[in-house]
Amino acid sequence: PKPGQVVTAAGNVARSVLNGGLADLTPMPRTLIDEGASREVYRYEPAAAVATSGDPVLLVPPLAAPALCFDLRRGCSLVEHFVGLGVPTYLVEYGEVSFHDRSVDMSGWIDEVLPEAIKAVSRDAGGKPVHLIGWSLGGIFALLAAADQPSLPIASLTIAGTPVDVKTVPLMAPARPLLDLTHGRGLATRAFSAFGATPHLLVNWALGTSAGHQLVTKPLAVLSHLDDAEFLAQIEAVENFRAHTSAYPGRTFGQLYHRMLPGNALATGAIDIDDRSVTLSSITAPVLVLGGATDDIAPISAVRPVIELLTAAEEVRFEIVPGGHLGMLTGRAARDSTWQVMADWIQQWPSPTPRRTTKPSSKTIGSNPDRRYGSTQSRSLGD
């Protein structure tokens, strides 16, 4: 290292020790506007010097991940970015999962939790339609809710890092030999339900670590970037995110385990929920599909197939953005790639949106299938 780097590194270490860290983890201010069983809906307070306009955005996290996935740290927060643009921004949270939630199944989120959150946001925003942004399995719930209830006031859908074809998801490979074909009523599902929830450590590992080598290389990465305050702050923020992961309700995880893995049901475009089949071809709202260039949890091969299933959507757009599973949403490169694509997409669909009366042309599906944002700046957990 050069002398200047040594001085900067020493200053970063001193600041970290004296201040308890370099990352500003202050959450964006928000107000509770609606609540119910397994549901809390928040409105983020608008920025003082920015006029708020346009249709509202509802951020949909996966069950096990905290809302920090959208508000990681100041200076690297999708919420902060949207609020700064004047976009009315909302979030649905599910609360802590406990043993009492062990019998909650997928239908609860598809029938009530997410639809009621969408309706609450629309009411709070003066009856405007809502742009849904779902990350990871949050994207699956957004897709299924939109497919199951076409009358919901949805302006558009954005799904980021959402695995539809799970055959190519590396983390699922060890589980496949354990599967049976009882469609959510087998030994594994009963075991998850009896336990109450998936182990927190399992969820923490899966969401926070997209590749095993990161655990080995992280100490070296920190040492080699002691002069980079932004990099160190990002590492701190990711660790804080991992510390706040929770668990899946046992029955919900069991159903995902059985229905999505053995038959790869969602890749067929339909999945059974209770006594009905929910089909992705029922979605008419425009859909933006985002895949992380280095995502090991939901690789491009698992995300991209959904574009062929959304046959009735007004438009389907596919983009590859920099970063891994968490990095595509919260990494430093996301500021100029993922977030910009999302903002442009939302502005493209102001209300009221005229709906097509004919099937979309093949050119609409995956209108940007080859566009790829440069990912050379992505670095391990830091990006």
Side-chain angles (χ1 to χ4, degrees):
K2 298 177 181 179
Q5 290 177 300
V6 173
V7 172
T8 302
N12 288 339
V13 172
R15 285 171 52 205
S16 180
V17 172
L18 294 174
N19 299 329
L22 297 174
D24 183 353
L25 302 178
T26 306
M28 292 292 289
R30 63 187 191 178
T31 301
L32 180 69
I33 66 162
D34 180 70
E35 60 183 331
S38 302
R39 179 184 83 252
E40 293 178 349
V41 183
Y42 293 91
R43 178 186 63 239
Y44 284 97
E45 298 303 318
V50 179
T52 300
S53 63
D55 297 331
V57 168
L58 175 60
L59 304 174
V60 183
L63 294 179
L68 295 173
C69 61
F70 296 114
D71 190 21
L72 189 69
R73 66 180 175 93
R74 292 299 178 93
C76 200
S77 161
L78 177 61
V79 171
E80 185 179 29
H81 179 74
F82 277 158
V83 169
L85 293 176
V87 176
T89 306
Y90 296 77
L91 170 81
V92 58
E93 283 193 326
Y94 315 116
E96 289 292 330
V97 173
S98 69
F99 183 77
H100 297 291
D101 300 310
R102 64 190 183 280
S103 62
V104 176
D105 59 18
M106 286 177 59
S107 63
W109 273 267
I110 306 308
D111 293 346
E112 182 176 356
V113 173
L114 192 49
E116 291 303 316
I118 294 169
K119 294 174 187 176
V121 169
S122 180
R123 286 195 303 270
D124 191 73
K128 294 181 178 180
V130 180
H131 296 283
L132 294 186
I133 296 180
W135 173 61
S136 191
L137 290 179
I140 289 179
F141 286 129
L143 286 171
L144 293 178
D148 188 47
Q149 300 188 39
S151 62
L152 287 171
I154 296 176
S156 76
L157 287 162
T158 296
I159 56 172
T162 297
V164 171
D165 185 352
V166 297
K167 288 188 301 184
T168 61
V169 175
L171 288 178
M172 298 299 184
R176 292 191 183 101
L178 304 176
L179 296 173
D180 57 50
L181 302 178
T182 52
H183 303 290
R185 294 181 292 276
L187 177 61
T189 299
R190 291 197 297 271
F192 286 129
S193 297
F195 186 77
T198 55
H200 171 260
L201 290 177
L202 175 62
V203 176
N204 184 308
W205 170 76
L207 286 176
T209 306
S210 61
H213 71 276
Q214 292 178 344
L215 295 177
V216 177
T217 60
K218 179 190 167 187
L220 180 60
V222 170
L223 287 174
S224 62
H225 291 84
L226 284 179
D227 63 327
D228 187 343
E230 273 287 296
F231 182 86
L232 298 177
Q234 187 75 355
I235 292 288
E236 289 176 13
V238 170
E239 287 300 307
N240 182 60
F241 167 84
R242 293 183 62 191
H244 286 83
T245 56
S246 58
Y248 279 90
R251 183 168 175 78
T252 297
F253 187 85
Q255 289 178 331
L256 288 169
Y257 176 85
H258 279 278
R259 296 179 187 182
M260 294 185 64
L261 288 180
N264 202 17
L266 203 56
T268 68
I271 189 169
D272 291 335
I273 297 179
D274 291 339
D275 58 351
R276 67 192 186 278
S277 178
V278 178
T279 60
L280 298 185
S281 60
S282 300
I283 296 174
T284 57
V287 184
L288 171 64
V289 182
L290 300 176
T294 56
D295 192 339
D296 293 322
I297 292 180
I300 299 299
S301 59
V303 173
R304 189 168 183 167
V306 74
I307 66 177
E308 302 298 334
L309 305 173
L310 300 167
T311 54
E314 183 162 357
E315 182 176 330
V316 178
R317 178 177 169 191
F318 177 72
E319 297 279 357
I320 298 174
V321 294
H325 196 57
L326 180 60
M328 67 178 298
L329 189 68
T330 66
R332 293 183 291 174
R335 302 167 182 169
D336 300 316
S337 56
T338 308
W339 300 353
Q340 188 60 53
V341 172
M342 288 179 175
D344 291 345
W345 176 257
I346 290 167
Q347 293 175 2
Q348 182 181 335
W349 301 103
S351 60
T353 303
R355 297 296 183 199
R356 291 178 185 262
T357 56
T358 59
K359 182 178 179 180
S361 67
S362 58
K363 292 182 179 179
T364 299
I365 303 299
S367 58
N368 282 315
D370 299 318
R371 188 162 103 179
R372 179 189 295 267
Y373 286 86
S375 58
T376 56
Q377 299 301 315
S378 298
R379 297 187 203 161
S380 187
L381 288 173
D383 288 296

